[in-house]
Amino acid sequence: AVADSLARARPTDLVHLDRRGGVRSRARSRALAGMYWGLLSVLVGAEAWLGYEAFGVPGLSIATVLGGYVGWFATRFATLRRATRLTVSGDPAEAEARARRVAEGRLVPRRLRAQAWAVAGTAAALQEAPERALTHCRNSLRLWKRSPRALARSTRYGEVLLLTRLGRTAEAREAWTTLGDEVPAGEYLRLRHHTAELYLAFVEGRCDLDDDALHERASFALGLGPGAGLLALLAWAFERAGDDEMADLLRTEALDRHPGELLSRTMPDLQAWLDGEDPVRARVADAAATDDSDAELPWPDEAKRRRAR
């Protein structure tokens, strides 16, 4: 299904994005799509009329070729739309295959290919193949280049999340730095921004956000339907800050809105934390033991790690 807002969206719902990275209503999206395809139809019709007026029947051949290309483009667009729906509500393997057919197709416009690689990356991540997902994501970014479009920025956040998921935190931190500190105005990109920011902090084992910043992010996340991942990350951050009451509240909210395998496949270490484990802490401890370091690990006492199941 397609939601009109993030507040009403379920974890498996899709949304349409506007230029700022906010959520556009279905009615407005349908109207814009109708205008777009209507304009293409008018252009084909105008080309047919001009060709016929100038060259007679042979002049219609140009319009025929142009119309054929528009029709073919429409099929590629429909294939990608179907792949996008399958990523969260069906079969991610089939979604990846469909998206790759569009991305690797000949004569496909650059923007559509960039979107297709991004969808393929999301589908690969849901199959627990982060290396392949990162390859697809970077294929998309090479096509987007420095585009300011919302989908391009969302893909850049995806790169940070995938690098973090793979434990390549130095690369993830570098990619995050290139995005800048400015928080996007649109709610969807804002969700992606805060999630990437806190997931990187979670895997690094430290959070530098102050209390006001954490409460601002918590207020935003509590107003979202599909914000389970961000809520869980905020629960961890508040626990790190010693605010157990807020941590328990946010953890409970995250579990109530839990998207099932969507979270465990894309951020398995965060899922493990929700389940009462702590793979990141264990990894930091192992690294410290390997380095034979006596430095205190940046983690709270176990007594503070209450798990309301």
Side-chain angles (χ1 to χ4, degrees), residues 16-298:
H16 293 291
L17 298 186
D18 60 24
R19 291 182 177 272
R20 299 189 311 155
V23 177
R24 180 183 289 148
S25 70
R26 287 171 293 176
R28 181 168 175 77
S29 296
R30 284 194 293 267
L32 290 173
M35 291 174 58
Y36 176 78
W37 292 109
L39 178 61
L40 287 180
S41 299
V42 169
L43 289 175
V44 172
E47 178 60 37
W49 180 77
L50 290 173
Y52 182 79
E53 287 293 318
F55 306 107
V57 174
L60 296 175
S61 59
I62 298 176
T64 300
V65 172
L66 181 60
Y69 178 75
V70 170
W72 174 85
F73 173 74
T75 64
R76 299 299 88 192
F77 182 84
T79 298
L80 182 57
R81 185 177 181 181
R82 176 60 177 164
T84 303
R85 292 178 181 273
L86 286 171
T87 54
V88 294
S89 61
D91 183 353
E94 177 63 19
E96 182 183 6
R98 287 173 180 254
R100 290 193 64 171
R101 283 201 296 272
V102 176
E104 296 171 346
R106 305 179 70 178
L107 303 178
V108 176
R110 182 172 61 86
R111 180 182 169 188
L112 192 64
R113 288 174 58 209
Q115 293 179 33
W117 279 123
V119 172
T122 301
L126 290 173
Q127 297 173 71
E128 300 181 81
E131 288 282 5
R132 191 167 76 244
L134 181 61
T135 298
H136 296 337
C137 179
R138 286 181 164 172
N139 284 339
S140 177
L141 290 175
R142 277 193 288 271
L143 292 167
W144 282 122
K145 297 181 179 178
R146 303 188 67 85
S147 171
R149 290 182 177 275
L151 285 173
R153 189 171 181 87
S154 178
T155 306
R156 295 185 186 103
Y157 287 129
E159 181 187 28
V160 174
L161 289 165
L162 286 167
L163 287 168
T164 305
R165 160 79 171 84
L166 289 164
R168 293 158 60 174
T169 53
E171 290 181 68
R173 179 59 64 183
E174 182 179 357
W176 172 257
T177 301
T178 63
L179 284 165
D181 296 329
E182 183 179 357
V183 178
E187 62 268 35
Y188 180 81
L189 283 186
R190 188 178 174 189
L191 171 62
R192 296 279 282 174
H193 179 96
H194 291 327
T195 302
E197 172 188 47
L198 281 167
Y199 188 45
L200 181 54
F202 172 78
V203 171
E204 290 178 332
R206 66 177 187 272
C207 181
D208 299 327
L209 295 174
D210 60 27
D211 192 61
D212 289 341
L214 289 176
H215 276 90
E216 179 185 358
R217 285 155 176 74
S219 178
F220 169 70
L222 287 168
L224 306 178
L230 179 55
L231 287 167
L233 290 166
L234 284 163
W236 167 83
F238 274 102
E239 186 178 82
R240 288 277 293 116
D243 190 341
D244 290 341
E245 183 178 356
M246 193 67 177
D248 287 345
L249 169 66
L250 293 172
R251 184 175 183 276
T252 300
E253 286 290 333
L255 291 172
D256 287 344
R257 308 178 194 193
H258 197 283
E261 292 184 342
L262 293 181
L263 180 60
S264 60
R265 290 178 179 180
T266 55
M267 291 187 279
D269 41 8
L270 180 60
Q271 178 64 61
W273 184 85
L274 280 174
D275 292 338
E277 304 171 17
D278 211 330
V280 177
R281 179 180 186 275
R283 185 165 62 244
V284 173
D286 289 343
T290 301
D291 294 340
D292 194 26
S293 172
D294 294 329
E296 182 180 356
L297 294 175

